[in-house]
Amino acid sequence: MTGKHKTLFDKIWDAHVVKHIEDGPDVLYIDKHLVHEVTSPQAFAGLKEKNAPVFRPRQVLATADHNVPTSDQEKEVKDERSRAQIEELKKNAEENSLDFYGLNHPKQGIVHVVGPEQGFTLPGNTIVCGDSHTSTHGAFGTVAFGIGTSEVEMVLASQCVLQSKPKKMRINLDGKRQKGVTAKDVILYAISQLSTNGATGHFVEYAGEAIRNMSMEERMTVCNMSIEMGARGGLIAPDENTFEYLRSTPAGQDKEKFEERVEEWKKLYSDPDATFDKEHNFDVSRIEPMITYGTNPGMGMKINGKIPGRESYENEPVVKKSLDYMGLEPGQKLVGKKINYIFIGSCTNGRIEDIRSFAHLVKGRKKAAQVKAYVVPGSKQVEMEVKNEGLQHILNEAGFELRQPGCSACLAMNDDKIPPGEYCVSTTNRNFEGRQGPGSRTFLASPLTAAATAVNGYITDPRELLNE
């Protein structure tokens, strides 16, 4: 996988090209395929119509996440459509001999949380899933991207997919973060600077001192939101942080074989003389806690700032529509705005580090009476870790309830929805109109900001509570 003048992305992509079609896409070999209940039923139905088997079932992992309830998972799923999709995934997995983590399975959870923690995600891999936030897995030095349902069928049948090679972008993040500034703030800042189409057509490599100092959970948060700036995916060169994380997963059980792999993975980096189509540099020491104010993740600002005037934007009517939907005005500050809902969870911020930081901030404090909080672990493993570390007791003492794993209020495809007109400070990745429920209004922020807001009952700069 080595080569001169190559970026990390080039090394992985080129090693997986089965055939290059002149003036067309590449036939790209896919190492791993993650499937869930929403985008896979039509793909499996297509295979049945063609009487075609899953080509390499051991390279496919299925889990139920989008539609699952986050309470009473031991009981029958009430929603008829959700129940049918989950049962269909189970049936398809059994018929095709796939590993399947259904409700109450000890490894069940959000597909982008489960893959890394089970050692399914490995450096140098190509990984796909019928979900746009597959970019999460790029934190391990993988080329990972979301695909459509027809492509899900293509990969199930052939372990390959037709893809045009994207351009390459590098975002260098240097400097040291201020206290109270998380990886979520860093990526929200980058998106606010580059816009939601700033990386369109590119695959982004994140590099620099700030990235090297991030934990794997933090790196996953950064890569997860790559697509919110239009990128096809994001990735980070694997290093000792990566290898140490993986040693604790099932991938590290065979120590001798694992260490042999590590020696190969150490070759996965961009050559010093490699060139990128675009390159951006940010000093993270200048970044403050961030929050969004509009209806796309690019409409973000520092939490103590003011909403920019409409004249600041090229497309003023779109901004007006967005602010009207949010019930906000140009020049308005958000700190101090009353909030009735907060959500911590999702494939962006539903890992143990996220809930740990949330719990540590609310420890010894009480949730504001009017706030309804969804505190949702990203997987059964995260749920177990929360309990084993005593975090559930801290949460309960502060007035929070730990729910069961699932995508929850990220996307309004299950019972966890934000009511029309209500505001929610959310740790997830998208703030589109109605994303968390019809008429719901979302402020994207970090777990620390969500925690501080839940305690005060209004949007709060987390540094105020961290400094008490």
Side-chain angles (χ1 to χ4, degrees), residues 63 101-102 104-109 114 117-118 250 379-381:
T63 186
Y101 304 156
N104 303 307
H105 189 286
K107 297 179 180 178
Q108 179 266 336
V114 167
E117 69 186 15
Q118 296 305 321
S379 70
K380 293 296 284 186
Q381 179 170 309

Side-chain angles (χ1 to χ4, degrees), residues 144-218:
F145 53 90
I147 55 176
T149 294
S150 60
E151 293 171 314
V152 171
E153 181 182 343
M154 186 189 306
V155 178
L156 287 173
S158 67
Q159 208 58 39
C160 291
V161 68
L162 292 168
Q163 286 289 301
S164 296
K165 190 175 183 180
K167 295 180 179 178
K168 293 153 291 185
M169 175 185 290
R170 181 160 61 188
I171 297 179
N172 299 299
L173 297 158
D174 288 302
K176 293 184 179 179
R177 281 181 277 160
Q178 300 177 31
K179 184 179 181 181
V181 175
T182 70
K184 181 64 166 293
D185 300 303
V186 171
I187 190 63
L188 281 176
Y189 175 81
I191 298 169
S192 74
Q193 298 302 299
L194 299 177
S195 83
T196 52
N197 60 10
T200 299
H202 293 75
F203 216 96
V204 176
E205 178 178 344
Y206 299 95
E209 175 191 8
I211 290 295
R212 290 194 297 274
N213 289 335
M214 284 184 182
S215 67
M216 291 310 298
E217 284 84 354
E218 291 174 319

